[in-house]
Amino acid sequence: MLRIFKTCFVAALLCFVGVANASKIDLETIAEWWNIPYPESFDTSQLKTQGFIHVKGNQFVDASGKHFVFRGMNIASPDKLLKQGQWKKSLFAELKDWGVNTIRLPVHPIGWRSSGKYNYIELIDEAVVWANELGIYLILDWHSIGYLPNGLFQHPMYKTNVQETMEFWQFVAARYKGVPTIAVYEIFNEPTDMGGKAGTADWLEWKAFNEQVIDVIYAHDKQVIPLVAGFNWAYDLTSVIEHPIEREGIAYVSHPYPQKAKPKPRTKDAVYASWTEKWGHVSAKYPIIATELGWVEEGGFGAHIPVIDDGSYGPWIIEYMEARNISWTAWCFDPEWSPTMIHDWDFKPTEQGKFFKKVLQAY
Amino acid sequence: MLRIFKTCFVAALLCFVGVANASKIDLETIAEWWNIPYPESFDTSQLKTQGFIHVKGNQFVDASGKHFVFRGMNIASPDKLLKQGQWKKSLFAELKDWGVNTIRLPVHPIGWRSSGKYNYIELIDEAVVWANELGIYLILDWHSIGYLPNGLFQHPMYKTNVQETMEFWQFVAARYKGVPTIAVYEIFNEPTDMGGKAGTADWLEWKAFNEQVIDVIYAHDKQVIPLVAGFNWAYDLTSVIEHPIEREGIAYVSHPYPQKAKPKPRTKDAVYASWTEKWGHVSAKYPIIATELGWVEEGGFGAHIPVIDDGSYGPWIIEYMEARNISWTAWCFDPEWSPTMIHDWDFKPTEQGKFFKKVLQAY
Amino acid sequence: MLRIFKTCFVAALLCFVGVANASKIDLETIAEWWNIPYPESFDTSQLKTQGFIHVKGNQFVDASGKHFVFRGMNIASPDKLLKQGQWKKSLFAELKDWGVNTIRLPVHPIGWRSSGKYNYIELIDEAVVWANELGIYLILDWHSIGYLPNGLFQHPMYKTNVQETMEFWQFVAARYKGVPTIAVYEIFNEPTDMGGKAGTADWLEWKAFNEQVIDVIYAHDKQVIPLVAGFNWAYDLTSVIEHPIEREGIAYVSHPYPQKAKPKPRTKDAVYASWTEKWGHVSAKYPIIATELGWVEEGGFGAHIPVIDDGSYGPWIIEYMEARNISWTAWCFDPEWSPTMIHDWDFKPTEQGKFFKKVLQAY
């Protein structure tokens, strides 16, 4: 009996490690908790010189004070790419070749938890090193959808809570202070009440929560740009002018997918008017990054509301943003996440892929 | 080593599934989280026609507008019955034979978590199909006891938190929208400060929480009746007249176990006066369902405060409720949960079992 | 397959128990949850007579009304000592020999969770029996560091949340009601905003939370002294005079480690003035226990801010506290936790160990 017990004990420990493929996940959960080391900061000495990007008025500026516009792509979550054998520097190099100066890293709460933060951080470390070598900036995105103060979300992969979200930013800010490569911390991907299915959303409550997170970030690191999203799946910034986030150095997000604006008839001018009303007007006062945008044709791979479009959207949105110095990262440089830029891991571009590649390479 | 590891990995996965007897429990916790499907709604096409019950004034009405009174029984938690080999349609058929038009399903938070929601929902699906075939309505009850806003409960089996409770109703409302069989959602079984042992309870706080849950339910499904409980283990509704739940279409609960009213001397009139003062008066304005009631003689199986009575309680409470069109489901059609209706799984009735069977069969 | 499954099931259960060395940890997580027994209270009939200590004005008094001062030591967490083979009555006897009348038991949230509360409580039970036999009092300390309302902490071993903290005290108060040996419940070891890294701390919010916990404790047991800490790692009590905890029978904590007071030049008078300003003045109105204090020389084992001192601190702090009837338990009677009293498990005293042993033995 004792022998079974002992074997079982060892087996359980091995299994535990095995299930999560996690050499460090056990740090906080088993054995001698009093010997858990304090987390260490990222060693910036391994990085090449890369200027910090800051907010100045309604623009971003680089270290020399010159206007800067983030232009780039989303990739899938690092832990997904790792599990699928696609987490490698060559992915970042391919994006460099497409012309990006920015890559957005979406971190899903479910992935953060299941990988274990000590494992996940190793992936973000690698992203920093790769991006830094290529002269690319990163946007780190806590990729949840729902209304966090109510604890209700759109899908299990987005489930988190206030404490986990605060801890995430506390942990990340402590680790990456002084790292210019991660230029932007996107606090919460897409806040939404889901038409009431996530309860009632309140801007003042949301604003106060974001300010709390920003305070925790700034207590660790003042050289990073916190990014705040509005409601309606991060589309709507109409509350911002009257009730702005009362912190310096921050920027706002919008996700202007094609079907969010619904003017009839759907002329370019009408769509522009709609964008300006809902989020574009904010760019006159604050910097904006459209961290998600993109389209797929009806019936195309993964077509779903609100991303379906006949292709006129591409030139419209680029022209609209560029006229206003609005930064952007298109969605998504992954063959499985729609609307996708690539058909496969040979990086064969899709319709929108061809378009955004051309746009990016022109800079 | 590698082989041990691999075997162990497989074993762990099997064990994981085995422990919980859960083919789906892993959906949200392991492997390719990005492929977790969105939850599906219950397929109503498999149901026989069954009218929706609604609130009208201080009454329930059926689809034809006729007054309707829920009369029935509690059974034990579906997951308990499953583990004990008693989860079967014949249980529902037996209850039909006893004359019920309603069965209350208590879902304990500990059971919901340990079974996994995807497994638990299969049981509720079966309950819907069985009840529908028999023309019975269901009351779905989140069976916790304590004061949820303080996070303190009477026993580990009742432990939950605000987020889990909100998620439960979000998940349930999304799954059973348009299902007439589950007529009633009982938001929280028995709110109580436990005489201070669960901290301080505040009606306005409790009211606001219930309104939030109702909003989430109604955002999914407006054809269901949310049921709200008052303090003192769901006995006391005295705050309701001055501070009602400000939502349409809802009803209130009381659990008038015999020892909750303590007039001296204990005459029928005095007990009635006590009931009227604490909860019965609300029936003049709002519909009420007494979702738990019942008694056992002193020294009988599972006798405990507040359910001990000499049997005079039975006729009194029925007469009281029927005179006011108050609906009711007696506790409990399970030989292990006191006060019980049955001595065994041959359904041999107890003292109160004989009484309630006679009452129900008279309708 | 079925056989593998079955073996695996049994193995998993054994492993589960094995990993946590927990014969009872499974009580709340597996199998027949409806048979989980209600927790039992500690059987006080096994204790020797030991008077209850109470608050009277700004002092503690014993059962005869005589002034009482807690003087003693911290030991490491019971679960750490157990894992290291040092959890034994002889440890308590050694401390008795050093002259303590009080032992403080720090319970780290991570230890409470990983041991399982039913296992942990067995250790506290043993501590009660041992201390009672030796005529020693216990201070039970929920050993977290951070700002609980924000859910942010200094290290994973201190991580908890509001619900777990409330439950801890609910569980503990129910178990140890009527036990004179555990004289003091220290609600939360060291509240701190960590200079903003744990967000913003607000005294009125903290005060309200402590009052809630005290209410839950008192609903179970009115013969215990709740102990409340101020901010800056439990150093600063400056908010207490204007906004005291509005409950009777409580006391306050300070942790006056040597480098918390920073007058220049560092004369005895200047240090005393600093102590009086930040916490000592409160002793004129309320009882205080300095539940942590101690020092180590620069470069000594585990030297870190704020515990480094040349040794002048020892006589100063003792003289300061004794002149004001301030109670105290020095940190820490464990060779691994700095500043330590002992070099090894033969109890060879360190520099501060020799000092405090002499002081204690003089009483």
Side-chain angles (χ1 to χ4, degrees), chain A residues 126-175:
Chain A
E126 287 178 316
V128 168
V129 171
W130 298 339
N132 174 261
E133 283 172 355
L134 295 162
I136 289 171
Y137 288 100
L138 297 173
I139 297 171
L140 192 61
D141 153 44
W142 183 240
H143 202 78
S144 177
I145 303 178
Y147 190 58
L148 181 59
N150 293 347
L152 294 175
F153 303 94
Q154 185 171 301
H155 182 278
M157 69 182 145
Y158 304 124
K159 182 178 168 181
T160 180
N161 60 44
V162 167
Q163 183 173 26
E164 185 181 60
T165 301
M166 295 279 277
E167 278 181 340
F168 173 80
W169 289 117
Q170 185 197 38
F171 189 78
V172 157
R175 180 146 188 91

Side-chain angles (χ1 to χ4, degrees), chain A residues 11 15 18-19 79-80 83-84 108 110-111 150-156 159-161 196-197 199, chain B residues 1 4-5 8-9 12 28-29 31 33-34 36-38 118 163 166-167 170 212 215-216 219-220:
Chain A
C15 289
V19 168
D79 61 314
K80 171 180 184 281
K83 283 179 188 159
Q84 298 184 319
H108 289 66
I110 197 173
N150 293 347
L152 294 175
F153 303 94
Q154 185 171 301
H155 182 278
K159 182 178 168 181
T160 180
N161 60 44
K197 291 181 179 178
Chain B
M1 182 65 184
I4 289 173
F5 182 87
C8 199
F9 182 89
E28 295 186 8
T29 49
W33 51 258
W34 54 90
I36 300 171
Y38 274 79
Y118 296 100
Q163 183 174 25
M166 295 278 277
E167 278 181 341
Q170 185 198 39
Q212 270 193 294
D215 288 345
V216 171
H220 292 87

Side-chain angles (χ1 to χ4, degrees), chain C residues 109-157:
Chain C
I110 197 173
W112 180 254
R113 277 193 304 276
S114 62
S115 294
K117 65 183 171 188
Y118 296 101
N119 296 298
Y120 212 113
I121 222 76
E122 289 184 5
L123 303 182
I124 302 177
D125 283 1
E126 287 178 315
V128 168
V129 171
W130 298 339
N132 174 261
E133 283 172 355
L134 296 161
I136 289 172
Y137 289 100
L138 298 173
I139 297 172
L140 192 62
D141 154 44
W142 183 239
H143 202 78
S144 177
I145 302 178
Y147 191 57
L148 181 60
N150 293 347
L152 294 174
F153 302 93
Q154 184 170 303
H155 183 278
M157 68 183 147

